[in-house]
Amino acid sequence: MSIVVGFVPTPAGEAALKAGIAEARLRNEDLLIVNSAREGALVDKSVAPEELLEQAARRATEAGVQASVIQPPYQHDLADEFLDVARDANASLIVIGLRHRTQVGKFILGSHAQRILMQADRPVLAVKADGGNF
């Protein structure tokens, strides 16, 4: 079993990584760090640079956690693809970061995090960045 953490290069992504490392260490499980981009997208601000992903894996290793990084592309829906990764990895826990969004932003854009929370068939730990207001 493993802990799957959704990582993006943001304060919320950093909070998710930190919580994922702590949970993996507590449960004595491996950590799978997932950073995904829409297939064919020329620019995607959620894609972490390779050196940042290497640093994330190194931080886990230094904390005594076996970690690996994957960057599966998604075609249609990020939440569905992320949940597929968690199922395939037989994850005991999913860790995601939350960011503040306005009510209008939630209504118009939807929320990948909300869909993951509602549709996951396993426990989800949702964390917010330090100092975030909701």
Side-chain angles (χ1 to χ4, degrees), residues 24-77:
R25 187 169 183 204
L26 177 70
R27 298 166 184 244
N28 195 30
E29 294 185 19
D30 294 345
L31 183 69
L32 180 59
I33 302 167
V34 181
N35 177 253
S36 194
R38 181 176 295 277
E39 191 171 69
L42 298 176
V43 177
D44 189 338
K45 65 182 179 179
S46 66
V47 175
E50 187 174 330
E51 58 273 4
L52 187 58
L53 293 171
E54 289 172 0
Q55 179 185 34
R58 189 170 40 257
R59 285 175 50 198
T61 301
E62 290 170 356
V65 173
Q66 179 70 34
S68 57
V69 175
I70 63 170
Q71 287 187 290
Y74 66 95
Q75 293 180 345
H76 303 292
D77 186 85

Side-chain angles (χ1 to χ4, degrees), residues 61-117:
T61 301
E62 290 170 356
V65 173
Q66 179 70 34
S68 57
V69 175
I70 63 170
Q71 287 187 290
Y74 66 95
Q75 293 180 345
H76 303 292
D77 186 85
L78 176 62
D80 287 341
E81 296 290 336
F82 186 79
L83 292 171
D84 287 345
V85 167
R87 270 188 229 94
D88 292 346
N90 193 26
S92 64
L93 178 70
I94 296 169
V95 182
I96 58 173
L98 300 177
R99 64 182 174 89
H100 178 72
R101 297 183 53 194
T102 65
Q103 291 297 328
V104 173
K106 291 175 190 174
F107 178 73
I108 294 173
L109 300 176
S111 170
H112 297 301
Q114 181 178 350
R115 294 224 12 253
I116 291 168
L117 283 166

